[in-house]
């Protein structure tokens, strides 16, 4: 979201929000995503970060709304947005500081993510959880509130926002 904010070219950027754990949404449509994989190489930890941004077109995803920067009227080129993404990634890796800065990242995510009390669903393959967004835990796990007041930590799954049912 910060990458697009820096362009300041369209009021559409105000509709951008994060969807846990790794999507950038424009309204209800997916526009970008990030995947992070960790491993060990030669005894040292290594991380691979992959991103995808729908710049000119939005490839269809069955059962999901998608959009692109062009659809939103944000006229940027892939090279331009790629350079800004790299600058933002470098900035946020500095904030991360080996995990010591996670609290600041959590706060920034909450400023652009779901609102506390917002109805969400989490598809975990064989299980479908539904309830209200209750925040993020100290380690980034999604917190899902059930109607009875209990809160469940969720560490994986595909989140949908605005799900009408509310049972965890």
């Amino acid at each position: 979201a910060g990458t697009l904010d820096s362009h300041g070219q369209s009021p559409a950027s105000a509709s951008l929000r994060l969807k846990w754990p790794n999507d950038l949404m424009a309204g209800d449509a997916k526009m970008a995503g990030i995947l992070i994989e960790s491993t060990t190489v030669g005894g040292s930890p290594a991380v691979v970060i992959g991103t995808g941004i729908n710049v000119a077109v939005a490839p269809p995803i069955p059962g999901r709304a998608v959009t692109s920067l062009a659809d939103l009227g944000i006229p940027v080129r892939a090279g331009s947005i790629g350079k800004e993404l790299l600058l933002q990634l470098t900035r946020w890796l500095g904030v991360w500081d080996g995990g010591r800065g996670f609290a600041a990242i959590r706060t920034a995510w909450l400023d652009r993510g779901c609102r506390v009390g917002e109805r969400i669903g989490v598809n975990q393959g064989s299980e479908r959880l539904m309830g209200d967004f209750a925040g993020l835990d100290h380690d980034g796990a999604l917190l899902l509130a059930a109607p009875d007041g209990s809160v469940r930590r969720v560490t994986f799954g595909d989140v949908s926002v605005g799900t009408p049912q509310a049972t965890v």
Side-chain angles (χ1 to χ4, degrees):
T3 298
L4 298 177
D5 287 344
S6 68
H7 284 277
Q9 296 180 10
S10 170
S13 65
S15 73
L16 299 178
R17 58 188 269 178
L18 301 171
K19 182 174 75 83
W20 188 91
N22 57 354
D23 289 340
L24 177 63
M25 309 293 286
D28 293 332
K30 180 176 179 173
M31 190 180 63
I34 186 168
L35 290 175
I36 301 173
E37 296 288 333
S38 62
T39 189
T40 303
V41 177
S44 297
V47 175
V48 176
I49 301 172
T51 61
I53 302 173
N54 297 337
V55 177
V57 296
I61 299 174
R64 178 174 281 176
V66 293
T67 193
S68 69
L69 294 172
D71 291 340
L72 297 175
I74 302 174
V76 296
R77 293 188 329 234
S80 171
I81 202 78
K83 287 177 188 175
E84 184 58 36
L85 178 62
L86 185 56
L87 289 172
Q88 289 290 329
L89 182 59
T90 301
R91 176 178 163 261
W92 283 106
L93 285 172
V95 172
W96 169 254
D97 190 23
R100 289 178 289 279
F102 179 72
I105 291 171
R106 180 183 173 276
T107 297
W109 191 97
L110 288 167
D111 285 345
R112 279 313 255 285
C114 288
R115 302 288 174 241
V116 171
E118 190 169 4
R119 183 81 60 222
I120 61 173
V122 183
N123 184 349
Q124 294 187 319
S126 63
E127 188 175 16
R128 174 91 176 151
L129 309 173
M130 291 179 231
D132 295 333
F133 179 73
L136 298 178
D137 204 350
H138 67 280
D139 63 357
L142 183 140
L143 300 175
L144 186 66
D148 67 4
S150 65
V151 176
R152 180 170 177 172
R153 289 182 79 250
V154 177
T155 58
F156 72 96
D158 184 32
V159 172
S160 56
V161 180
T163 307
Q165 302 89 347
T167 58
V168 177

